[in-house]
Amino acid sequence: MPKILVVEDEAAIARVLVDNLLFEGYEAEAVADGAEGLERALAWQPDLILLDVVLPTMDGYEVCRRLRAQGAATPIIMLTARGEEVDKVLGLELGADDYVTKPVGVRELMARIKAVLRRGELAPATGAVLEFGQARIDFDRYEATVDGQTVHLSPKAFGVLRLLWESKGRALTRAQILEQVWGYEVYPTTRTVDNHIAELRNRLEADPAQPRHILTVHGVGYRFVE
Ligand code: CA
């Protein structure tokens, strides 16, 4: 059964979340601050993390950033309090999978958790390896190299590249990319897609200013050619 880590400093909310997760048949535990959340996530290897944004010791963004930097691709749903000024785009760029606003409707949250876990299951090991130019991308292992040197790509950048590659040269709109890679529960912003395209070009194209593989289709979006 999937393991879910709750990182939430408000004890009453954490308790409600854990109780409901246990009731739904998940394994669940809660920690109350960011640093502890990061440590527990790395040690316990949960299948999904519910991560509050405003936390003692280390905020949710930083936890997310450090997890991704350590190569953890664990799905993350960020929790925000209503009225809290949060940068949703930043969270999505750091690799969060979804946002939920507190107070959390339990049924809605459970549906989101199932959706996020299902998206993960849809990406089984496929042996998918893409090579173009000097770049080699192993999608199962989330490893990218250029000229044999490891380059860092965010999990979402891998997702965008894989989608473009699997679309076999067809142009995709930014909205299609958002829907496929981030899921339907997203705050659509073309900037999010454009930033990931820029990341891919900067890391993988020989000349990012004159991309030969990750191409802009003016007025439409992007397409990939090997
Ligand atoms: Ca909080």
Side-chain angles (χ1 to χ4, degrees), residues 134-136 144-151:
Q134 304 304 312
R136 182 179 190 282
T145 58
V146 173
D147 283 330
Q149 301 292 309
T150 298
V151 294

Side-chain angles (χ1 to χ4, degrees), residues 8-10 52 54-55 102:
E8 166 63 66
D9 58 320
E10 285 168 75
D52 191 20
V54 180
L55 286 166
K102 296 185 284 187

Side-chain angles (χ1 to χ4, degrees), residues 81-129:
R82 187 152 296 163
E84 228 166 52
E85 277 294 318
V86 297
D87 189 342
K88 291 187 165 144
V89 174
L90 174 65
L92 294 170
E93 278 161 11
L94 290 173
D97 294 83
D98 202 355
Y99 270 93
V100 169
T101 306
K102 296 185 284 187
V104 177
V106 168
R107 203 178 294 179
E108 184 202 352
L109 180 63
M110 294 304 156
R112 301 264 196 121
I113 287 171
K114 284 198 184 109
V116 168
L117 287 172
R118 206 160 44 229
R119 287 210 292 274
E121 283 167 15
L122 286 174
T126 53
V129 174

